[in-house]
Each structure stands twice: as structure tokens, then as C-alpha cells.
Amino acid sequence: MAAASLSHLSFLSNPSPRSLIVPSLRLTSPSRKGRVGGSRFRCSAGQTGFFTRLGRLLKEKAKSDVEKVFSGFSKTRDNLAVIDELLLYWNLAETDRVLDELEEALLVSDFGPRITIKIVESLRDDILSGKLKSGSEIKDALKKNVLELLKGKGSKTELQLGFRKPAVIMIVGVNGGGKTTSLGKLAFRLKNEGAKILMAAGDTFRAAASDQLEIWAERCGCEIVVAEKDNAKASSVLSQAVKKGKEGGFDIVLCDTSGRLHTNYSLMEELIACKKAVKKVMPGAPNEILQVLDGTTGLNMLPQAREFNDVVGITGLILTKLDGSARGGCVVSVVDELGIPVKFVGVGEGLEDLQPFDPEAFVDAIFS
């Protein structure tokens, strides 16, 4: 490490997160008991194609974890089960009634007015033109319409991490959406696939945020850069973390940020400062700016996403708490309205319940 650039970072092994006292910034290393078990491959910083292989493994993992996604969307699926009943004895004479009730089922599941009308009118046209002649054909066409929308407007569901290390991912969002927890679960998943992860505790506003992220670092077996002073600037913490990421041979730097209301413009401006600080250290970074959205809020998440996107340019979404909501249609709505891909979905409380988003698995899960 270059002493001049990181003189105020300390290296500690086997830390106790609540007993460390180091001035300004500190870097903690995980104890052995916190390390994640054997990964599926190892790749040093000098090897090429690392992020390509990492993306492929995450995609494969998403397809292999279909059962988690299926169970996670059970409430939405129950809401949409009425569609099967409607189509079971469908006949042409009842087309208008059936489509009206199908429209209502989609709206209740938070598909949103625009996308719901678009889907229903497409089905109506195909029915009246004779393309769809049975209930099963209508169901298949419904699933196809939703899948095409997700793939068309939100096609880049894999993490786009570039070709240089470290890749930098910023996590942003409002308070209470599950931002820090999502970062911890993402670190766990990436670490399990062989990536060397450095966390950056950039939430310098909330007192307990650093402690919470340190606990996640210990659980995941990752190192973390934390501000010791209460008045430290988030941009400074992230800047130093990326410097450490470059010098320490890390693959990915995961940057937490302070939760903020999208209407608080001074705090939103701080995000711009964080983005600039990261880019100054690592040209082209951050590679991803992922916004965490609370799935239980349904369509109310759209104004948040628009504001954050206007300020910092969101590259992907993490939708959390979908297992506790019957509003899974909001996944489709947010992609349709914003054209921003969903990268991960939270479908449970467990460490592995932050799942890479797979459009086919999602459509099968809600319309099974």
C-alpha cells in the first residue's frame, strides 16, 4: 500500500466491530469464522474475462434457484390465480367480461394502468382476429406479452462491470427500503462466486449504518472501509475505498450510501459528489448504480426511481420484500415506465434470497 495515499487506513484482522478505535478511516478484515465457504472458481486481478464468467455464473444461479423465486412470488401468484379460473371455460361470447376481469386482476397486482391496458387490448385484438381460440392460448399470449416487455425494455439484467478492476457498484435508495441489507446479500453472493469484495460504508448519516455493514462484512468474509469520525464525508469514504480496491487487488468495491428521500435535494446532491469522487479515482466508475426499491410500496416506487435516475443515472434496480407483497406486477411496471432493468429481487429473509432477476423464471412464477 502507498503510505501517502492511505496513511489513515489501518489493517486489522479478526476485528470486533464495536471495539475498534482508529482515527479517520479504518479498514477491517474478516475473521476466519466469518468467511464464506469454497467458491466455484477463483480469479486473480490479472486474469481477463473475470466479469464475463462472473455474470454467466450469476445467470446460471438464477436459473437453478427457480424454486426460491417461485415461492417468493406466492402472494402475487395467488392474486393472479383468478385468471386461470376465468380462462378455464372461456368462450368467444364472453370475451369482454373475461378481459375486464383479467384487467382488474392485473391492476390489483400493481401492473399499472398503462401496461395493463396495453396487454389487455393486445389480447383482445388477437382474440377477435382469430389468432387466439382457447383459454390456454390466451394464457400463453399473456405470458409472452409480459416476457417480451421485460426483455425489450429491461434486457440488461446482468451486472455490467466492464473490464478493469476493481469494478465499482454504488447502492442508493430511500430510508427503510433494505439498502444496506441488499448490499450485504449481494456481497455474499458475489463472494460465493469467487470475487474478492471490498465494502465501503458510505452511509455516514445514519449512526448505526456502519455497524450494520460491519456485521455483514463479518458474515460474508469481506473487508470493509469505514469512517471513524461522525462528520466524515461520504464522498471521502468512497474515494478512499476505491483507492484501496485498486491497490489491494480487489475485484469489486460495493459502496453503501446514505438513505435519502428523493425530495431532499441537498442529500441528492451528495450522491452526485459521491459519483464524482469515485470517478476521479477510477475513470469510468461507478460501473453500476443500483437503486433499492421496496416492493411493498408497489407503484409508489415510481416517483422515487424517476428522481434518483434524473440525478445520478440509475443503471439497474433491486426490488426487495417481494415475498411479503402481492404487488409483484410492479416489476413489470417499473421496467415499462422507466426502461431500467431489474437486476435482483429480494424474495425472502435468508442470505441467499437476493436472487438475480431472470425474466422467464419471474413470468412462470407469477402466472403458474
Side-chain angles (χ1 to χ4, degrees):
M1 176 187 300
S5 62
L6 291 175
S7 59
H8 52 308
L9 286 176
S10 291
F11 300 88
L12 298 117
S13 60
N14 301 335
S16 171
R18 300 186 182 278
S19 63
L20 295 171
I21 304 175
V22 182
S24 189
L25 293 174
R26 69 178 185 266
L27 181 138
T28 69
S29 303
S31 63
R32 286 188 176 275
K33 66 180 179 180
R35 292 188 183 278
V36 178
S39 61
R40 292 168 62 183
F41 71 94
R42 294 291 177 186
C43 187
S44 65
Q47 291 176 292
T48 60
F50 173 83
F51 294 131
T52 301
R53 291 195 294 275
L54 180 62
R56 186 175 67 247
L57 284 175
L58 289 176
K59 193 170 184 178
E60 290 172 359
K61 184 68 172 174
K63 292 185 180 300
S64 67
D65 284 348
V66 170
E67 284 303 316
K68 285 184 179 292
V69 176
F70 190 84
S71 61
F73 284 101
S74 60
K75 292 187 177 181
T76 300
R77 186 168 59 255
D78 291 345
N79 246 12
L80 295 171
V82 65
I83 294 175
D84 288 328
E85 298 174 20
L86 289 170
L87 298 178
L88 184 60
Y89 301 109
W90 172 85
N91 62 71
L92 188 60
E94 294 187 332
T95 296
D96 287 338
R97 179 189 66 81
V98 168
L99 290 180
D100 284 347
E101 293 190 37
L102 186 150
E103 179 178 311
E104 183 179 350
L106 294 176
L107 288 171
V108 167
S109 296
D110 262 9
F111 272 76
R114 190 173 83 170
I115 189 60
T116 296
I117 292 172
K118 182 179 178 180
I119 290 172
V120 170
E121 290 309 310
S122 175
L123 292 176
R124 190 189 308 276
D125 290 344
D126 286 347
I127 291 170
L128 295 180
S129 67
K131 293 180 181 178
L132 303 177
K133 300 177 182 179
S134 67
S136 62
E137 289 181 353
I138 296 172
K139 174 77 173 290
D140 289 342
L142 170 62
K143 294 172 67 174
K144 182 181 177 183
N145 281 341
V146 174
L147 186 58
E148 286 178 351
L149 186 147
L150 289 172
K151 286 187 170 182
K153 288 194 172 184
S155 58
K156 294 183 178 180
T157 57
E158 300 90 357
L159 289 175
Q160 307 295 311
L161 299 179
F163 302 97
R164 291 188 300 172
K165 297 186 181 183
V168 181
I169 301 175
M170 280 179 59
I171 308 293
V172 304
V174 302
N175 295 311
K179 181 171 51 61
T180 302
T181 299
S182 294
L183 187 150
K185 290 180 178 181
L186 179 57
F188 177 83
R189 182 170 287 278
L190 294 172
K191 178 74 183 292
N192 256 0
E193 300 300 350
K196 185 179 180 182
I197 304 297
L198 178 64
M199 294 184 181
D203 186 351
T204 57
F205 186 76
R206 185 166 60 95
S210 293
D211 287 345
Q212 183 183 358
L213 200 62
E214 283 189 72
I215 292 170
W216 274 107
E218 185 71 13
R219 292 176 72 184
C220 299
C222 299
E223 294 184 26
I224 180 171
V225 174
V226 181
E228 185 65 30
K229 292 183 179 179
D230 292 338
N231 60 350
K233 289 185 177 180
S235 57
S236 176
V237 176
L238 300 192
S239 175
Q240 293 295 338
V242 176
K243 287 179 184 177
K244 170 57 188 169
K246 289 176 68 175
E247 296 173 5
F250 288 88
D251 298 315
I252 300 172
V253 180
L254 291 176
C255 302
D256 196 12
T257 59
S258 300
R260 64 206 70 220
L261 290 174
H262 56 287
T263 53
N264 189 323
Y265 295 107
S266 62
L267 285 178
M268 293 294 280
E269 287 292 321
E270 184 187 72
L271 281 182
I272 298 176
C274 289
K275 184 178 178 181
K276 288 180 177 178
V278 167
K279 185 176 182 180
K280 188 175 181 180
V281 179
M282 191 80 181
N287 303 82
E288 291 272 16
I289 301 178
L290 304 182
Q291 183 176 2
V292 176
L293 295 171
D294 184 344
T296 63
T297 64
L299 293 177
N300 293 326
M301 70 173 66
L302 289 175
Q304 297 174 25
R306 287 194 188 99
E307 289 293 335
F308 275 86
N309 189 42
D310 288 344
V311 172
V312 291
I314 302 301
T315 61
L317 303 170
I318 299 176
L319 302 188
T320 63
K321 308 178 186 179
L322 288 170
D323 57 307
S325 170
R327 295 174 154 189
C330 66
V331 173
V332 184
S333 296
V334 75
V335 172
D336 178 60
E337 292 279 344
L338 304 175
I340 300 173
V342 176
K343 305 271 183 172
F344 294 90
V345 289
V347 292
E349 297 295 326
L351 269 175
E352 297 185 356
D353 289 335
L354 183 70
Q355 292 291 312
F357 182 67
D358 180 78
E360 289 93 344
F362 168 76
V363 171
D364 286 340
I366 63 172
F367 289 118
S368 179

